[in-house]
Structures are given as structure tokens and as C-alpha cells.
């Protein structure tokens, strides 16, 4: 037998063996490990401000406020995107509506500049602004009064608990769908969706109960937080199911890429969006992890100012995933025969 025939025979044998998919998985897992570390390091390791929305009141275009604001921009190596408001009450309202991250109050006379930050709006942003305000005040000889409008809860001093519970909902959401596809493969489409709803509701309740009732890390508006977590888990599970319909056994790749490599670092949960690379800060709000963090963050710290946008994002991904799954359900690697065919084969 010639060398070429022997080589062809070995390749054919290799392709038909379990070693080919195992080798492909080995390479993909290795690449995923590097991408996972890289995406989180790129987004979170060195948060840098780019443009921070801030409210201003009073005569901010003359001393002492003007040199103070200029000094802040120099110290931050970023611009403060200033939004003038007629009074402090209106500016604080803008903070509650999450339009701005701080309020700079310019004095009408020789009084101090008032710097109101909001740790609940973004702990990292508040920390950076507070440190810069003290430093700039000393450098410019400006008296500065620093105040936190919305402190974080005592059980969550770094403001990461919301990110963690949202991350749990995202990851367990698609892991649940994976387990259904492996251990309950015979479920038909509507049954699969029903069980996804079931584990999302129960899982969301469990996450909220553990964090609030058991650990006491966050005081949650329980029903609202529970339903946000449940919607997040359902969306995540159906996203995997959609990709399972489109790509079969390789569905984990786009799910991991969308939800974990891209979605979680850009969610604004660990690092607020003004400190993220600008593209990530924009994209993150349109992905399920970012929408979940935004909805949960508002529910916990800004009750009464909830926005429809994050719920529309989660609902949109859910509807898209369910539609693709149901329309192309014949391509999904699960289900069982129904109707007369099933009775004949029984």
C-alpha cells in the first residue's frame, strides 16, 4: 500500500473515531480559557474614566467652580459631561433617574464647592470622583464638601452583590438548559419551554432568598428582584436552546461567547459603564447580562425610577430565542414523536 493511501486511511479512521471531536474540544477549551481571562482583564483590571455625566448647579462657569472642574478633568484624564440644572433638588432627581453620576454644586459666593457622588450609581465611579475631588481641592486651594447621596448597603460595601446574583442567574440559566438537553432530551418544544420557565422561577427565588433572607447581604424588593432573576434565567436558558437549534452540539460556543465573554464584562455590574471601554459600555446594555444588572440595580437602589428598557431587552432576547426554537424545532437535537406515529411504534 502506498504512503498516500496509508495516510488517507489513517485520516479516515481518525475522523470516525472519538479522538477528532476530543481534539477539537481540547483546542477550543484552551482558546476559551485565554479569551475568558482576556475579556475580563480588558474590561475590569484597569477601569479608566472616559466621559462621566455630571450635574452642575449654580455659577459653574466662574471661580471657584470653574478651576475645580478643569482640575477634575485633568486629574481624571477624562471629561465631565456637564448637565446644568436650576437647583440641587432637580440635580438629585437626575441622579435618582441615573442620568448623571454626581452633582457639582457651585457656590454663589466664596463658599465651598459641593461634590455629591452616588456610590449606588457606581461604586468605582464614586470612589474615583471622591478621591479626585479631594486632591483637586488641595491643588487649587478650593474648599470642597464631599457627600454620598446614595450609599451602598452595609452588606454590600463594594457594590458587587448585584453583579454576582445576576451572574449566577445567567450561568445557571444556560447550564440548566444544557442539562435538560442531556438528561431530558425527549422533551417536546413546549414542554422544554415550560420546564425552563419552571427552573427559572424556582432558581430565581432561591438566589433572592439566599442573598436576602439567609446571608442578609442585600435588602431586596423581593418580588421584583425574584422576577428579574427568573426572567434572566429563562432568557439565558432559551438563548442556549436557540443556539442548540442552530448549531447542535456546538451551541455552547456562541452561548459562552455572548453571555460570558462579552455580556458579563460589559454588564456594568463589576465596573460601571463610564469606566468601561466605550464600545463595551454601549453594547453591554443590549445584552441579557447588562439588562439584568441594570434592572436589578434600579430595583434595589432607585425604587420608583425603574426603566422599561432592560425588561424590553430581556423580553426581546427571550422572544427571539423562543421563536427560532419553535420555527426550526425539527433541527433541535431533542423531542420525541407525537401523534399516530408514536402510537404505532408503542
Amino acid at each position: 500500500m502506498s504512503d498516500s493511501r496509508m495516510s488517507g486511511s489513517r485520516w479516515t479512521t481518525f475522523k470516525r473515531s472519538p479522538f477528532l471531536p476530543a481534539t477539537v474540544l481540547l483546542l477550543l477549551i484552551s482558546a476559551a480559557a485565554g479569551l475568558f481571562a482576556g475579556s475580563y482583564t480588558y474590561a475590569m483590571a484597569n477601569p479608566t474614566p472616559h466621559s462621566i455625566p455630571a450635574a452642575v448647579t449654580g455659577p459653574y462657569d466662574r471661580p471657584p467652580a470653574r478651576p475645580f472642574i478643569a482640575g477634575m478633568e485633568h486629574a481624571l484624564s477624562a471629561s465631565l459631561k456637564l448637565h446644568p440644572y436650576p437647583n440641587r433638588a432637580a440635580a438629585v432627581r437626575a441622579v435618582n433617574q441615573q442620568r448623571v453620576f454626581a452633582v457639582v454644586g457651585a457656590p454663589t459666593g466664596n463658599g465651598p464647592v459641593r461634590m455629591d457622588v452616588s456610590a449606588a450609581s457606581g461604586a468605582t465611579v464614586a470612589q474615583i470622583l471622591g478621591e479626585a475631588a479631594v486632591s483637586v481641592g488641595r491643588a487649587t486651594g478650593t474648599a470642597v464638601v464631599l457627600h454620598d447621596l446614595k450609599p451602598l448597603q452595609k452588606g454590600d460595601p463594594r457594590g458587587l452583590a448585584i453583579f454576582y446574583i445576576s451572574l449566577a442567574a445567567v450561568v445557571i440559566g444556560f447550564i440548566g438548559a444544557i442539562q435538560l438537553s442531556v438528561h431530558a432530551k425527549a422533551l417536546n418544544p413546549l414542554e422544554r419551554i415550560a420546564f425552563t420557565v419552571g427552573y427559572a422561577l424556582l432558581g430565581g427565588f432561591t438566589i433572592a432568598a439566599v442573598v436576602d433572607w439567609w446571608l442578609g447581604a442585600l435588602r431586596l424588593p423581593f418580588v421584583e428582584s425574584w422576577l428579574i432573576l427568573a426572567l434572566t434565567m429563562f432568557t439565558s436558558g432559551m438563548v442556549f436552546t436557540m443556539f442548540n437549534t442552530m448549531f447542535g452540539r456546538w451551541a455552547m460556543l456562541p452561548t459562552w461567547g455572548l453571555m460570558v465573554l462579552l455580556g458579563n464584562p460589559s454588564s456594568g455590574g463589576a465596573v460601571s459603564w463610564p469606566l468601561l471601554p466605550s464600545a463595551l459600555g454601549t453594547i453591554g446594555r443590549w445584552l441579557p447580562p447588562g439588562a439584568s444588572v441594570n434592572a436589578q440595580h434600579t430595583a434595589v437602589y432607585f425604587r420608583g425610577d425603574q426603566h422599561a428598557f432592560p425588561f424590553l431587552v430581556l423580553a426581546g432576547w427571550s422572544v427571539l430565542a423562543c421563536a427560532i426554537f419553535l420555527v426550526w424545532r425539527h433541527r433541535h437535537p431533542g423531542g420525541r414523536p407525537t401523534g399516530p406515529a408514536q402510537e404505532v411504534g408503542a
Side-chain angles (χ1 to χ4, degrees):
M1 184 180 294
S2 66
D3 291 342
S4 61
R5 288 184 178 180
M6 289 181 62
S7 177
S9 176
R10 289 174 182 172
W11 173 244
T12 301
T13 302
F14 179 68
K15 285 198 300 182
R16 293 175 180 174
S17 75
F19 299 111
L20 176 59
T23 301
V24 173
L25 284 172
L26 182 152
L27 297 174
L28 289 174
I29 291 170
S30 301
L35 289 171
F36 180 73
S39 65
Y40 279 69
T41 302
Y42 173 67
M44 301 180 187
N46 185 26
T48 304
H50 301 282
S51 177
I52 301 177
V56 288
T57 61
Y60 65 92
D61 55 348
R62 65 172 186 254
R66 184 174 181 179
F68 173 77
I69 292 172
M72 287 288 292
E73 293 186 335
H74 178 73
L76 297 170
S77 298
S79 64
L80 292 177
K81 191 174 181 181
L82 301 178
H83 299 269
Y85 287 88
N87 52 57
R88 186 171 180 273
V92 170
R93 177 65 178 163
V95 172
N96 291 334
Q97 293 174 340
Q98 300 178 74
R99 297 178 182 177
V100 297
F101 283 77
V103 179
V104 179
T108 54
N110 296 321
V113 172
R114 184 184 180 104
M115 184 74 178
D116 291 309
V117 297
S118 173
S121 300
T124 46
V125 175
Q127 180 182 356
I128 288 173
L129 287 175
E131 292 173 353
V134 172
S135 176
V136 170
R138 290 173 182 167
T140 60
T142 304
V144 178
V145 175
L146 188 63
H147 175 66
D148 191 346
L149 289 170
K150 285 277 185 178
L152 293 165
Q153 295 185 20
K154 291 181 179 180
D156 183 30
R158 297 188 178 181
L160 294 175
I162 289 174
F163 173 66
Y164 292 146
I165 65 175
S166 300
L167 176 63
V170 167
V171 173
I172 300 302
F174 67 73
I175 287 179
I178 292 171
Q179 294 305 305
L180 283 181
S181 70
V182 172
H183 299 292
K185 189 174 183 179
L187 288 174
N188 281 328
L190 293 181
E191 296 168 344
R192 188 174 299 275
I193 291 174
F195 273 92
T196 304
V197 170
Y199 78 65
L201 285 170
L202 187 57
F205 179 88
T206 304
I207 294 172
V210 167
V211 171
D212 189 343
W213 299 346
W214 183 16
L215 298 178
L218 279 177
R219 296 188 307 275
L220 299 174
F222 195 86
V223 173
E224 185 177 2
S225 290
W226 167 26
L227 294 179
I228 291 170
L229 291 167
L231 180 56
T232 302
M233 287 188 72
F234 176 76
T235 303
S236 184
M238 289 312 303
V239 164
F240 172 82
T241 305
M242 172 183 71
F243 285 135
N244 200 201
T245 303
M246 298 168 67
F247 304 112
R249 62 181 178 177
W250 301 108
M252 186 59 185
L253 294 178
T255 304
W256 183 263
L258 180 71
M259 306 296 280
V260 177
L261 293 184
L262 182 59
N264 282 322
S266 65
S267 67
V271 175
S272 300
W273 66 262
L275 306 183
L276 291 171
S278 56
L280 285 182
T282 301
I283 293 171
R285 305 175 204 185
W286 292 89
L287 299 179
S292 179
V293 167
N294 288 343
Q296 197 70 253
H297 179 254
T298 304
V300 172
Y301 285 111
F302 299 97
R303 300 179 192 181
D305 289 294
Q306 185 63 269
H307 303 289
F309 179 73
F311 294 95
L312 293 175
V313 170
L314 288 170
W317 279 98
S318 293
V319 170
L320 175 66
C322 289
I324 290 176
F325 171 49
L326 290 173
V327 171
W328 285 286
R329 57 188 177 274
H330 59 281
R331 296 185 54 180
H332 190 273
R336 64 186 185 277
T338 57
Q342 184 181 29
E343 295 174 2
V344 172

